[in-house]
Amino acid sequence: MTNPHNVAPRRATITDVAREAGTGKTSISRYLNGELSVLSPELRARIEAAIERLDYQPNQMARGLKRGRNRLIGMLVADLTNPYSVEVLQGVEAACQALGYMPLICHAANEVEMERRYLQLLTTYRVEGVIVNALGVREETLRPVGEGGIPAVLVDRMVDGLVADMVGLDNTAAVELATHHLLERGFDDIWFVVQPFERVSSRRLREAAFRAAIGGQARARGHTVVLELGDAAALEQTLAELDHAVDAAFEVSPGVTLHLAAGAAPDVTPGVSVDLAHGTRSDANPSLRADTAQAAAGAGTRRVALFAANAPVALCLARHLNARHGARWQERIALLSVDDPEWAEFAGITTIRQPTYQIGYRAVEFLHERIDGVESAARDCLLPGELIVRASTSR
Amino acid sequence: MTNPHNVAPRRATITDVAREAGTGKTSISRYLNGELSVLSPELRARIEAAIERLDYQPNQMARGLKRGRNRLIGMLVADLTNPYSVEVLQGVEAACQALGYMPLICHAANEVEMERRYLQLLTTYRVEGVIVNALGVREETLRPVGEGGIPAVLVDRMVDGLVADMVGLDNTAAVELATHHLLERGFDDIWFVVQPFERVSSRRLREAAFRAAIGGQARARGHTVVLELGDAAALEQTLAELDHAVDAAFEVSPGVTLHLAAGAAPDVTPGVSVDLAHGTRSDANPSLRADTAQAAAGAGTRRVALFAANAPVALCLARHLNARHGARWQERIALLSVDDPEWAEFAGITTIRQPTYQIGYRAVEFLHERIDGVESAARDCLLPGELIVRASTSR
DNA sequence: CTGTTAGCGCTTTCAA
DNA sequence: TTGAAAGCGCTAACAG
């Protein structure tokens, strides 16, 4: 043991090295910063030896303090439980490595208050920029970020009141791709399932794109269902409604379709369906019923498909369907999802795979430019998704 | 816009605040550090106002530099893709929050070289301690960590040459629990599937515990199979061998059992099985065959179960079984796994759930004590796992 | 109660 | 080529 007395072996400082090498701090600093050409080979050798002997490692904090930049960037992640986030993170890490940054990863665990705290913390550590994938932050929270503050780039979603570069999936194109796939395969009664929008722009965009994509199709019907994953009671109820809809499609005779009881809801809230085909919003809570008066234009049984807006929703649905219909539910019920988690293949669900790695990489590149002083207007980088067809929609 | 000329709006410093409040830096510092009792209400008010006006936020780097401690701790994670790691992380975050630390999360993406780099980086940022969940680090790598260096605590696994506190699952008890469960349910031909041991102690421990648990049972047979997830070719071959074994068990008539061709392998390497019942190690590559000469003591068909050493292995097996036997493979093949990923319920596999949150929380507590100067010998904290029985072993 | 002073470990003029 | 000295933003004696 090199430290027999348990004396805290204070790390060597630049002063120690200078003394050990019999020179001044300046030369050590020069050596550290690669200004080797100005050092005599002899001195350089002594410095090298001293550093080695003392196991010296420069203190980044001090360097940062002096230089005014510390090569730290913050990465605020709303939910590391979501494989999407981890994948994006890999891209971020790779880019940081390439560009010489150290990412400080902050995990807000889906809590807005956490996001606020972390953003604040990152700020006090004087990170040079932040990559934000947040649930939703209030105006006040992001005062230090964005224009006038430290550079920021948004991932996957906009944040109200924050003008900044953004990179993410081309939601509109992706959802169109998916919807057309479903229509092509003959599904004409599509239920789009999404978490409460809150401040997450991508959820809104996807839902809007779905609505638009299906709106033009005369025969098809689209519905939006909001699933509140965090609330067990609400969840159960909403799932029951979906079950009802799915079952009805199987039971109903040709020429008959479903719709929801009419009624005007002020906004889309959990458990509420929006019946796109008729442009009306209906509260589904009371009950769902088959209605022969609303027969579809074409004849034949409606073919139902579930369209999950992201992986967490898809997981919830898959679990539920599995419990309700057994292991072969895929053969009976079509499920498609944006996001392609690792269990998707095995569950046999069709997905839109996001270019997660590139999203993360690109985010850092954007940030790097801003840190370097680029002043252009906020830019968006929308990357395309890829459709992966699996058993669940192959009928 | 507050910054019309795009002048970098240099953040206010303590000096600025002092000037603004018409006082000295010391008072500001005192205010910042909560020494409110020594400040006259009047001065205090002026300071508050100045801070507010300047939107001042103390620079943590500078504080850290001065105080010699920065409340930063490093968390080195081998693989964020593994849900286990993310769960542990949540515990770490919660504890950090409670104890006033800021965790710097480093993701090594299963690359030893990355682990080395990050450990080095953390060191230069002068973190006060590190929590290490690494694949395997060479001696040289961890010189700055452990005794004589910054305090460290290991999660889930020991690291050769690093004497430090450790917290993780009680592998022996957990594997015993699982094995007994399988035996109770009548499975008597159990295949333990594990990734290459490398330097990961928990893998070794689990395998050893399995071996021990099954060794005492006269009727049961245990085998160890090493699955190399990263190597597609090796993977395929090993899976084929497992298939063969599983199939054979179904085809074989009562009183007949399987064993592997005899032969001595120097160590357990991918694709190699260890036949526990006979204490011999056999290279399974050539072929697997039924051998009536080695009939089991009891009569009746062997009931096969697969025992995955962790979630990544379980996922690989589940995917494979799903592809090979269809969606209802659980009814045919028993699969049990250490780790309880979110898809486990839905896949219907029995698992040992680890107390991940506590593991993370405890790790930080250990570290905190070390940082506070506790000098006792290295401690181990082994937490119990919980058996979750699902369809796959319920026959 | 309040301010002055001397650094923390490092970089960077500016002279030598 | 080299080094002395002046800070970066902050805290902690030590005086008033």
Side-chain angles (χ1 to χ4, degrees):
Chain A
M1 198 195 285
T2 45
N3 179 28
H5 296 294
N6 274 324
V7 177
R10 192 183 58 80
R11 294 219 65 108
T13 74
I14 200 173
T15 311
D16 300 327
V17 179
R19 193 187 319 107
E20 179 81 12
T23 177
K25 302 193 293 179
T26 314
S27 297
I28 311 298
S29 176
R30 292 204 175 104
Y31 177 85
L32 260 26
N33 292 292
E35 298 170 46
L36 302 175
S37 54
V38 286
L39 294 175
S40 70
E42 193 269 334
L43 178 53
R44 179 173 159 182
R46 264 159 48 214
I47 294 179
E48 243 149 27
I51 288 180
E52 175 67 23
R53 230 171 300 140
L54 268 36
D55 187 23
Y56 170 68
Q57 300 195 261
N59 181 331
Q60 291 296 343
M61 295 300 181
R63 302 181 99 174
L65 181 57
K66 183 66 203 172
R67 287 213 262 233
R69 38 182 327 191
N70 52 22
R71 307 257 81 187
L72 252 29
I73 70 177
M75 164 95 204
L76 182 58
V77 182
D79 181 14
L80 272 179
T81 272
N82 188 338
Y84 168 84
S85 306
V86 176
E87 289 171 21
V88 169
L89 194 56
Q90 321 231 40
V92 167
E93 286 162 342
C96 280
Q97 178 109 27
L99 296 172
Y101 291 100
M102 164 88 169
L104 295 195
I105 302 162
C106 300
H107 177 205
N110 280 327
E111 300 211 22
V112 176
E113 175 56 19
M114 276 284 160
E115 295 178 350
R116 208 188 53 69
R117 285 181 38 111
Y118 272 127
L119 224 41
Q120 148 88 29
L121 206 54
L122 287 173
T123 268
T124 71
Y125 276 103
R126 297 293 189 272
V127 295
E128 297 185 36
V130 283
I131 295 175
V132 179
N133 170 249
L135 234 203
V137 257
R138 283 158 288 169
E139 299 274 333
E140 168 242 332
T141 302
L142 35 84
R143 206 197 318 170
V145 164
E147 346 171 59
I150 55 181
V153 12
L154 299 168
V155 162
D156 181 65
R157 45 191 83 167
M158 315 296 211
V159 170
D160 286 355
L162 209 186
V163 201
D165 295 334
M166 200 277 254
V167 27
L169 176 68
D170 183 340
N171 286 296
T172 306
V175 169
E176 250 167 39
L177 184 63
T179 308
H180 288 326
H181 165 73
L182 290 175
L183 294 171
E184 254 172 35
R185 295 291 167 121
F187 298 101
D188 52 5
D189 198 34
I190 308 178
W191 295 73
F192 186 84
V193 188
V194 59
Q195 289 173 272
F197 297 136
E198 305 203 23
R199 293 167 172 283
V200 181
S201 63
S202 52
R203 295 183 190 157
R204 284 186 198 286
L205 284 174
R206 288 174 195 174
E207 200 271 338
F210 169 68
R211 200 187 278 241
I214 212 157
Q217 308 292 325
R219 276 199 77 262
R221 304 191 59 174
H223 320 260
T224 294
V225 173
V226 175
L227 202 63
E228 190 147 23
L229 296 179
D231 178 344
L235 187 63
E236 191 180 353
Q237 192 176 344
T238 311
L239 287 174
E241 288 159 24
L242 270 176
D243 287 340
H244 201 132
V246 170
D247 292 348
F250 282 106
E251 292 155 11
V252 144
S253 56
V256 171
T257 184
L258 286 180
H259 83 157
L260 306 171
D267 194 359
V268 178
T269 48
V272 168
S273 294
V274 181
D275 187 324
L276 302 179
H278 298 81
T280 63
R281 290 174 166 187
S282 352
D283 185 4
N285 283 0
S287 75
L288 222 49
R289 60 199 168 78
D291 184 343
T292 51
Q294 295 285 343
T301 309
R302 285 280 168 187
R303 299 192 66 206
V304 174
L306 266 26
F307 186 160
N310 65 10
V313 167
L315 180 64
C316 173
L317 293 178
R319 269 172 151 154
H320 176 73
L321 294 173
N322 191 69
R324 190 156 187 272
H325 300 276
R328 309 179 67 137
W329 56 270
Q330 297 94 337
E331 297 172 10
R332 201 162 177 246
I333 297 150
L335 175 57
L336 180 154
S337 171
V338 175
D339 281 345
D340 186 56
E342 53 180 7
W343 51 266
E345 180 193 343
F346 144 178
I349 70 173
T350 293
T351 62
I352 295 277
R353 177 179 292 164
Q354 297 198 49
T356 47
Y357 185 89
Q358 286 94 307
I359 289 174
Y361 205 103
R362 194 58 192 275
V364 176
E365 289 177 332
F366 268 178
L367 201 54
H368 179 60
E369 292 172 20
R370 293 298 185 188
I371 290 172
D372 268 9
V374 171
E375 294 279 9
S376 67
R379 302 161 288 183
D380 280 6
C381 173
L382 298 183
L383 272 12
E386 178 193 359
L387 179 70
I388 311 220
V389 180
R390 298 210 182 83
S392 188
T393 63
S394 298
R395 276 171 287 155
Chain B
M1 201 193 287
T2 46
N3 179 26
H5 297 293
N6 274 324
V7 177
R10 191 184 57 83
R11 293 218 65 109
T13 75
I14 201 174
T15 311
D16 299 328
V17 179
R19 194 188 316 110
E20 180 81 12
T23 178
K25 301 195 293 180
T26 313
S27 296
I28 312 297
S29 177
R30 291 203 176 104
Y31 177 85
L32 258 27
N33 292 292
E35 299 170 43
L36 302 175
S37 53
V38 286
L39 293 176
S40 71
E42 194 269 334
L43 178 53
R44 180 174 160 182
R46 263 158 51 214
I47 294 178
E48 241 150 29
I51 287 180
E52 174 66 23
R53 229 171 301 141
L54 268 38
D55 188 24
Y56 170 69
Q57 300 195 259
N59 181 330
Q60 292 296 344
M61 296 298 180
R63 304 181 97 173
L65 180 59
K66 180 67 202 172
R67 289 213 260 231
R69 40 184 321 192
N70 51 24
R71 307 257 81 188
L72 252 28
I73 70 177
M75 164 97 204
L76 182 58
V77 183
D79 180 14
L80 272 180
T81 271
N82 187 338
Y84 168 85
S85 307
V86 176
E87 289 171 20
V88 170
L89 195 56
Q90 320 231 38
V92 168
E93 286 163 342
C96 280
Q97 178 107 26
L99 296 172
Y101 291 100
M102 164 88 170
L104 295 195
I105 301 162
C106 299
H107 177 207
N110 281 327
E111 300 211 23
V112 176
E113 174 56 19
M114 275 285 159
E115 295 178 351
R116 207 188 54 67
R117 286 180 37 110
Y118 271 127
L119 224 40
Q120 147 89 28
L121 206 54
L122 288 172
T123 267
T124 70
Y125 275 103
R126 295 294 188 272
V127 295
E128 297 185 34
V130 282
I131 295 174
V132 179
N133 171 248
L135 234 202
V137 258
R138 284 158 288 169
E139 299 275 334
E140 167 242 330
T141 302
L142 35 84
R143 205 195 322 168
V145 163
E147 345 173 60
I150 54 181
V153 13
L154 298 168
V155 162
D156 181 67
R157 45 191 82 168
M158 316 295 214
V159 169
D160 287 355
L162 207 186
V163 200
D165 295 334
M166 199 277 255
V167 27
L169 177 68
D170 183 340
N171 287 296
T172 306
V175 169
E176 249 168 39
L177 184 64
T179 308
H180 289 326
H181 165 72
L182 290 175
L183 293 172
E184 255 172 35
R185 296 289 168 122
F187 297 101
D188 53 6
D189 197 35
I190 308 178
W191 296 73
F192 187 83
V193 188
V194 59
Q195 289 173 271
F197 296 137
E198 306 203 22
R199 295 167 170 282
V200 181
S201 64
S202 52
R203 294 182 191 156
R204 284 187 199 285
L205 284 174
R206 288 175 196 173
E207 200 271 337
F210 169 68
R211 199 186 279 239
I214 212 157
Q217 308 291 323
R219 277 200 76 264
R221 305 192 56 175
H223 321 259
T224 293
V225 174
V226 175
L227 201 63
E228 190 147 26
L229 295 178
D231 177 344
L235 187 64
E236 191 181 353
Q237 192 175 344
T238 311
L239 287 174
E241 289 158 22
L242 270 176
D243 288 339
H244 201 132
V246 170
D247 292 348
F250 281 106
E251 291 155 11
V252 143
S253 55
V256 171
T257 184
L258 286 180
H259 82 157
L260 305 172
D267 195 358
V268 178
T269 49
V272 167
S273 293
V274 182
D275 187 323
L276 302 179
H278 297 81
T280 62
R281 290 175 166 188
S282 355
D283 187 317
N285 284 0
S287 75
L288 223 49
R289 58 199 170 79
D291 185 342
T292 51
Q294 295 284 343
T301 309
R302 286 276 168 190
R303 297 192 67 205
V304 174
L306 267 26
F307 188 161
N310 65 9
V313 167
L315 180 64
C316 174
L317 292 179
R319 269 173 152 154
H320 176 73
L321 294 173
N322 191 68
R324 190 156 186 274
H325 300 276
R328 307 179 70 139
W329 56 270
Q330 297 96 337
E331 297 173 9
R332 200 161 178 244
I333 298 151
L335 176 57
L336 180 153
S337 171
V338 176
D339 281 345
D340 186 56
E342 53 180 5
W343 51 265
E345 181 194 341
F346 144 175
I349 69 173
T350 293
T351 61
I352 295 277
R353 178 180 292 164
Q354 298 198 49
T356 46
Y357 185 90
Q358 285 96 304
I359 290 175
Y361 205 101
R362 194 58 192 274
V364 176
E365 289 177 332
F366 268 177
L367 201 54
H368 179 60
E369 290 171 24
R370 294 299 185 187
I371 291 173
D372 267 10
V374 172
E375 293 280 9
S376 67
R379 300 162 290 182
D380 279 6
C381 172
L382 298 184
L383 272 12
E386 179 192 357
L387 179 69
I388 312 222
V389 179
R390 299 211 182 82
S392 188
T393 63
S394 299
R395 274 171 287 153

